[in-house]
Amino acid sequence: MSRIRVAVLGAKGRIGSEAVRAVEGAEDMELVAALDRKDGLETLTEAGAQVAVDLTHPDAVMGNLEYCVDHGIHGVIGTTGWTDERFERLRRRLDASPSTGVLVAPNFSIGAVLTMRFAQQAARFFESVEVVEFHHPNKADAPSGTATRTARLIAAARAEAGCPPQPDATTSALDGARGAEVDGIPVHAVRLRGLLAHQEVLLGDTGETLTIRHDSLHHSCFMPGILLGVRRVVETPGLTVGLENFLDLD
Ligand SMILES: NC(=O)C1=CN([C@@H]2O[C@H](COP(=O)(O)OP(=O)(O)OC[C@H]3O[C@@H](n4cnc5c(N)ncnc54)[C@H](OP(=O)(O)O)[C@@H]3O)[C@@H](O)[C@H]2O)C=CC1
Ligand SMILES: O=C(O)C1=N[C@H](C(=O)O)C[C@H](O)C1
């Protein structure tokens, strides 16, 4: 059996360093490159990488990914900062490299993926929904990629079910007091020393509330998802958004 030749970008970072160890420990993979900020992208082609795992920074990910797609290297992308415009740019790039696969996963932890799915299922049954995410204070972006994706999935489920806008009588508020709005869903970001990555989806209706909470307690929780992404992306051309597509959830 030939092993999958994997490169990790952001290899010295919090999640990247854990990913390096996970790839090294996977029997069906070979770590052929571990890139930090100072390393040129040509290292990827020189090393013969088949899959690049990007865990860098929202400012770096597009350049890295475009180099990979142009060179036929599959991408497993955990880095955040994804907008509709970025997805469109990536789709156009992939059109010119139709055998290349890219997985963009807002969250690789199975529990977080299930949180998103459960929130999506519950969204139409409650009048009110808000998302609160909690992260370590060194995180570059807010709200988190996971919270943004969760809110979008909730909003889409509510739109499909014909739910009206949620009630909110606020007419006067300090800037930011009601959080950010993602497709009409309020999203609040907390940054606190001691935390890693946590999320609550709060749903409310007359006389009851439902809270769906997930806690990532260690970066190891993202590793099974990253390894699954590497194994599946080599056989899945085009763009896949969300690890749930590789989990056979239905
Ligand atoms: N999808 C998921 O499940 C998860 C996603 N993430 C996301 O992954 C990203 C990284 O998070 P985290 O590990 O906490 O961040 P860190 O800052 O700890 O790590 C990022 C690493 O990438 C390096 N880097 C920056 N730019 C480049 C570049 N152009 N090429 C190569 N390396 C580069 C940084 O170097 P330097 O220190 O010199 O800047 C740093 O070593 C974030 O977007 C985060 O949200 C995190 C956890 C889970
Ligand atoms: O920066 C982090 O730590 C994380 N980033 C991802 C996000 O923005 O959703 C995934 C997880 O929350 C950890």
Side-chain angles (χ1 to χ4, degrees):
M1 181 190 70
S2 67
R3 296 194 290 165
I4 308 172
R5 298 172 64 79
V6 182
V8 175
L9 288 84
K12 291 192 177 149
R14 280 177 288 268
I15 182 170
S17 51
E18 190 80 23
V20 163
R21 283 191 291 279
V23 170
E24 282 174 335
E27 283 184 359
D28 56 342
M29 294 177 201
E30 182 184 356
L31 181 76
V32 296
L35 278 68
D36 202 15
R37 184 194 283 279
K38 63 183 185 324
D39 300 308
L41 292 174
E42 66 282 356
T43 310
L44 296 171
T45 34
E46 285 164 10
Q50 287 172 273
V51 179
V53 178
D54 192 295
L55 302 161
T56 59
H57 190 279
D59 293 344
V61 63
M62 280 312 278
N64 295 343
L65 188 48
E66 288 180 348
Y67 179 92
C68 290
V69 172
D70 291 353
H71 290 83
I73 300 169
H74 308 289
V76 171
I77 313 301
T79 308
T80 46
W82 287 91
T83 59
D84 290 343
E85 187 271 332
R86 284 185 169 202
F87 278 123
E88 201 37 54
R89 234 170 88 191
L90 174 58
R91 280 196 190 92
R92 281 200 299 274
R93 209 76 172 203
L94 280 165
D95 286 345
S97 185
S99 56
T100 307
V102 172
L103 166 67
V104 176
N107 204 305
F108 288 112
S109 109
I110 307 300
V113 172
L114 290 175
T115 301
M116 288 186 255
R117 175 57 63 98
F118 297 155
Q120 205 179 355
Q121 287 173 332
R124 71 190 164 97
F125 296 105
F126 293 83
E127 238 194 319
S128 305
V129 189
E130 307 217 1
V131 178
V132 190
E133 56 95 330
F134 311 77
H135 280 81
H136 57 89
N138 302 99
K139 183 166 176 55
D141 56 321
S144 70
T146 308
T148 303
R149 172 88 170 150
T150 306
R152 289 208 166 123
L153 293 171
I154 289 170
R158 288 168 75 84
E160 196 183 319
C163 297
Q166 41 183 332
D168 183 355
T170 312
T171 51
S172 162
L174 206 61
D175 255 6
R178 293 288 294 115
E181 272 213 1
V182 177
D183 292 355
I185 306 297
V187 178
H188 310 266
V190 176
R191 296 291 172 265
L192 203 70
R193 186 67 70 203
L195 297 181
L196 199 167
H198 318 256
Q199 177 164 287
E200 285 184 3
V201 180
L202 310 173
L203 303 113
D205 212 303
T206 312
E208 64 174 332
T209 66
L210 169 66
T211 302
I212 306 171
R213 180 175 172 109
H214 176 257
D215 298 278
S216 285
L217 304 174
H218 189 268
H219 279 100
S220 52
C221 74
F222 303 113
M223 297 307 125
I226 290 180
L227 298 182
L228 176 67
V230 169
R231 292 182 182 115
R232 294 294 301 274
V233 81
V234 293
E235 57 192 35
T236 314
L239 174 62
T240 303
V241 181
L243 188 70
E244 61 273 21
N245 292 289
F246 294 162
L247 288 177
D248 303 325
L249 287 185
D250 297 317

